[in-house]
Amino acid sequence: MTEPAFLVLTALVDEPRHGYGVVREVEELSGGRVRLKIGTLYGVLDRLVADGLVELDREEIARGRLRRYYRLTEDGASALEAEAARLAANARSATERLAARSGRAKALGGLA
Amino acid sequence: MTLLEARYRRVLRLLPAHYRAEREEEMVDAFLEGAADLDEDEAHPRWSEVLSVAALAVRVRLGGAGSTARGAAWGEAVRLAAVAGLFLNAMTAAQGLAAEALVRAGVIGPVPEEFRAVTTLGVLATAAGVAWVAAFAALARGRLRVAKAAAVLGLVPLPVEVVRQVIGGVPAVWVLSILLMGLVGVIPVLALLAGYHRDAAAPRLHWAMPLAPPAAGLLAVVAILALAGSPTRPTWVVAWLDLPGLGFLALAGLSVWHARTGRTASPAWPLALALLAFTTLASRLGTIAVSLSVGAPGDPLLAGAAVQAGVLLALGLVLLGLGRRALPSPAPAVRL
């Protein structure tokens, strides 16, 4: 799963959102690091809808323009959960090894 | 409608009509909401936004998510053209490298200049040759990023050569012919970059495929040297053994092979072969332009080249017609 897809799915966990709502939420989730371009956003949404991870929730008219809200499907929630578990396991391994390394460095420092 | 909205809608025209019918309004809504801080009657959409729409348009037209069956077929054809085109470039590059190595090792003397496929290479061309072989090998192994980077490196000698010739003050027709011949490399690389987009699966070719271009290149070098080494070599063979000539032979072989075995409904093969036929035609016209500019009418080399150009044009048109007829109807994909 690409990072934009991961962030878009995460943005839809708590409630259905429309296009710009997703962009804003992704920006916040990533601490301002990822600001999706509209073309990129819809490419990601197309893929997620085609894979059945996201679906149309409802349509509204805002300021005279069509606004579509998307929601996470059950499959989308499972896929996100699996990806989150995978990333968490990777992060844990890295943290453990780094802790062991700094432990070794301290022990060596003590010997010197 | 504000000027900004009108400009963004113009950008969205890059997308196919079926996609715009489905998505234009909500994309405009999302864009304008995000652009609220811009002065709506002054601003242009940012370049990054335009590029994201352009990238989306390429994916939608070439079989990405949100594509029609027709788009999927075009995507398959473009990817096939990328694989076949990279194969041809890797083969001719391997041929050049092999000839270079043989000359350096003293196995053979300098190769006659008219055999353009076999020339003494500069450092840049040698590096580019290695890049072409690596690009095809990476593509065959499904390593798309490596393949794309290597293939772009393979193109580097082209602009360098053009600049060198322009500075050297050669006739404009020569520069034009270098550009036309360069299309043999440029078109497959564009097909590679556009066809193998984020939604496209990497190819999985036979494990031995990365070795095929060097093997074919070596074989070609042996054939060329056998002919070039003969003191009574007929000049007309040159038109069949330079780069466009080899491309012509390879394409003719592939087309015959496809006509005999490939009676499937898929439009990908004829469309891909048509694209490569037009590309080879361009490079052939490039060499003809040079021959004419140095003024050698009645040259047997020119006759062969002219025959090839005619056959390539006919072949390309026939294949394009066959491929288009086999395309799925342009009905929009079922969405949402």
Side-chain angles (χ1 to χ4, degrees), chain B residues 80-96 117 129 132-133 136 139 183-185 188 209 212-214 216-217 220 242-254 272-273 275-277 279-280 283 312:
Chain B
L80 200 54
V83 173
L86 245 61
F87 183 99
L88 288 177
N89 279 286
M91 183 185 84
T92 48
Q95 184 190 2
W132 279 119
V133 175
F136 179 78
L139 182 62
L183 289 179
V184 168
M209 274 307 270
D242 62 358
L243 283 178
L246 286 172
F248 172 83
L249 293 177
L251 270 173
L254 273 176
L273 288 175
L275 184 63
L276 293 175
T279 309
T280 310
S283 70
L312 283 169

Side-chain angles (χ1 to χ4, degrees), chain B residues 62-304:
Chain B
L62 297 180
S67 201
T68 58
R70 201 172 235 246
W74 272 112
E76 211 191 315
V78 168
R79 287 190 287 278
L80 200 54
V83 173
L86 245 61
F87 183 99
L88 288 177
N89 279 286
M91 183 185 84
T92 48
Q95 184 190 2
L97 293 174
E100 168 86 352
L102 290 175
V103 170
R104 291 248 164 135
V107 178
I108 55 173
V111 178
E113 203 181 322
E114 68 265 31
F115 286 82
R116 286 196 194 85
V118 187
T119 53
T120 308
L121 304 171
V123 176
L124 187 61
T126 306
V130 172
W132 279 119
V133 175
F136 179 78
L139 182 62
R141 304 300 302 150
R143 306 283 300 274
L144 292 179
R145 268 194 220 182
V146 180
K148 288 176 182 176
V152 170
L153 284 181
L155 287 181
V156 169
L158 178 64
V160 173
E161 183 65 13
V162 168
V163 168
R164 212 169 61 92
Q165 299 285 348
V166 168
I167 291 173
V170 300
V173 63
W174 287 21
V175 176
L176 177 72
S177 89
I178 290 170
L179 286 173
L180 283 173
M181 288 189 265
L183 289 179
V184 168
V186 172
I187 298 294
V189 171
L190 289 180
L192 176 72
L193 296 178
Y196 285 100
H197 48 69
R198 208 180 49 209
D199 292 338
R204 283 276 165 213
L205 304 184
H206 191 273
W207 63 267
M209 274 307 270
L211 302 174
L218 211 60
L219 217 68
V221 104
V222 170
I224 288 173
L225 290 174
L227 287 163
S230 121
T232 58
R233 71 168 184 274
T235 39
W236 60 264
V237 296
V238 175
W240 302 87
L241 289 174
D242 62 358
L243 283 178
L246 286 172
F248 172 83
L249 293 177
L251 270 173
L254 273 176
S255 303
V256 169
W257 170 77
H258 174 70
R260 289 173 61 99
T261 63
R263 291 248 169 253
T264 57
S266 164
W269 268 104
L271 289 177
L273 288 175
L275 184 63
L276 293 175
F278 290 132
T279 309
T280 310
L281 173 62
S283 70
R284 184 36 99 203
L285 291 177
T287 67
I288 290 177
V290 169
S291 297
L292 288 178
S293 78
V294 294
D299 185 343
L301 199 150
L302 206 53

Side-chain angles (χ1 to χ4, degrees), chain A residues 65-82:
Chain A
R65 286 192 298 265
L66 175 74
R67 190 167 277 186
R68 284 201 179 113
Y69 285 76
Y70 296 88
R71 64 164 172 258
L72 197 65
T73 63
E74 281 309 308
D75 282 354
S78 324
L80 181 61
E81 203 175 339

